[in-house]
Amino acid sequence: MTDRARDEQWMRVALAEAARAGADGEVPVGAALVVDGALVACACNRTLRDCDPTAHAEIVVLRKAATAVRNHRIGGVLYVTLEPCLMCMGALVQARIERVVFAAPDPKAGAAVSLYRVGEDVRLNHRFAVEPGPFGEESAGLLRDFFRERRAETA
């Protein structure tokens, strides 16, 4: 399997999680964490459900993965449908993630490439690759549709 095909495979898992979040009334963001080629955990946004401002898909997947591998230093590759925010990028540094692949950029809050480049900051004790990945338009479409529906409900 090519690297591109592998990225598409795991991003599809993240997209399914994002769709699940949207169906539950959460902002549709999903994540999948892969270690040594195997899916360790997948999750979606749960901030409303959990009444927890830190329950972004990336944080939830890190919590699940850390439990699964029984270590807070997880490593692996994170696939996420939206460019991670500053909080999530900080957690990814702590988890020693090796690579982040995101579908849609986040020009208002993205800390991987849009506003900051946390993954490559030499002042931090861990750095990792960050790459735009497949299905950017699909992910952005989920977000656009979600917020369009929210605005229509409040109008």
Side-chain angles (χ1 to χ4, degrees):
M1 179 181 293
T2 67
D3 289 344
R4 180 70 179 180
R6 192 171 297 111
D7 287 352
E8 288 178 359
Q9 171 190 358
W10 298 122
M11 191 62 79
R12 282 188 187 96
V13 174
L15 276 170
E17 288 292 318
R20 188 165 66 94
D24 289 344
E26 298 276 359
V27 176
V29 178
L33 200 127
V34 176
V35 177
D36 295 329
L39 180 67
V40 173
C42 56
C44 60
N45 272 2
R46 294 170 46 146
T47 58
L48 299 175
R49 174 180 158 185
D50 293 355
C51 295
D52 180 355
T54 70
H56 291 191
E58 299 94 317
I59 302 295
V60 177
V61 84
L62 287 176
R63 290 175 180 155
K64 287 181 174 184
T67 299
V69 303
R70 301 180 53 84
N71 194 334
H72 66 288
R73 305 292 193 220
I74 303 163
V77 180
L78 176 74
Y79 294 89
V80 62
T81 59
L82 182 64
E83 179 185 355
C85 71
L86 191 54
M87 173 187 69
C88 292
M89 288 297 287
L92 297 171
V93 168
Q94 296 302 314
R96 302 303 191 261
I97 295 301
E98 299 160 16
R99 180 174 169 242
V100 171
V101 180
F102 67 90
D106 186 352
K108 293 183 178 180
V113 297
S114 294
L115 299 179
Y116 306 98
R117 293 182 171 272
V118 173
E120 63 187 47
D121 192 322
V122 297
R123 296 168 296 179
L124 299 174
N125 63 341
H126 176 72
R127 286 166 293 288
F128 51 89
V130 175
E131 303 168 19
F135 307 122
E137 187 50 44
E138 290 86 340
S139 178
L142 281 174
L143 290 159
R144 268 192 311 272
D145 292 348
F146 176 82
F147 287 112
R148 182 180 304 123
E149 289 173 19
R150 286 293 169 142
R151 285 189 297 274
E153 289 171 5
T154 60

